[in-house]
Amino acid sequence: MNEVITEQQALHLYPELRTLVAARHAGWRFRELREDDEPVGIAGSLTRKQYSDTIFVYDRNHVIAARVLDDSYGGGCVWSAEGTDLEEIVSDLLGLPEPGMPNAPHLVRRSTLLWTP
């Protein structure tokens, strides 16, 4: 069984988590991702009227983040990043301007691959 540690202990062991702690204090919700009853990562989200921001952390070196506009504001993914630097990706996402503000992403990213089941 895993031992529960405090936020302070976690930040001491993994300082890069400070960006996720800042997000949580700003109203983000986080949940554990599990596969076959084993933890495989965490997912965080912040939903506003115009958009939703999401973060998926699979390990210290695999992070995915995205901003998706609500359908009534055009719908679709307008920003995404995947990489190995948790702090950089989360900071970039948290630093995005609100939709409609100068420099806010607004072009919907279209997939270039056809997915078939």
Side-chain angles (χ1 to χ4, degrees):
M1 178 157 56
N2 293 335
E3 180 183 334
V4 175
I5 63 173
T6 67
E7 182 178 291
Q8 206 169 6
Q9 291 169 319
L11 290 172
H12 178 73
L13 292 170
Y14 308 104
E16 64 271 23
L17 291 178
R18 70 178 166 263
T19 55
L20 295 180
V21 170
R24 187 170 55 95
H25 289 292
W28 282 68
R29 302 198 61 171
F30 288 89
R31 63 202 57 75
E32 184 178 45
L33 299 173
R34 298 182 74 79
E35 187 175 292
D36 297 326
D37 208 31
E38 292 293 321
V40 294
I42 58 173
S45 63
L46 177 73
T47 301
R48 298 288 188 233
K49 182 178 179 182
Q50 293 177 297
Y51 66 94
S52 292
D53 286 345
T54 58
I55 302 167
F56 298 92
V57 182
Y58 295 101
D59 63 39
R60 296 175 92 169
N61 299 306
H62 188 194
V63 181
I64 301 170
R67 172 169 284 175
V68 178
L69 293 181
D70 184 81
D71 286 343
S72 59
Y73 294 93
C77 182
V78 293
W79 182 91
S80 65
E82 181 172 357
T84 61
D85 189 329
L86 173 66
E87 288 182 281
E88 179 182 4
I89 290 175
V90 174
S91 293
D92 287 351
L93 178 61
L94 295 178
L96 290 176
E98 296 285 317
M101 299 298 292
N103 299 319
H106 62 279
L107 296 176
V108 175
R109 295 170 161 232
R110 301 285 181 212
S111 174
T112 57
L113 297 175
L114 176 62
W115 179 83
T116 55

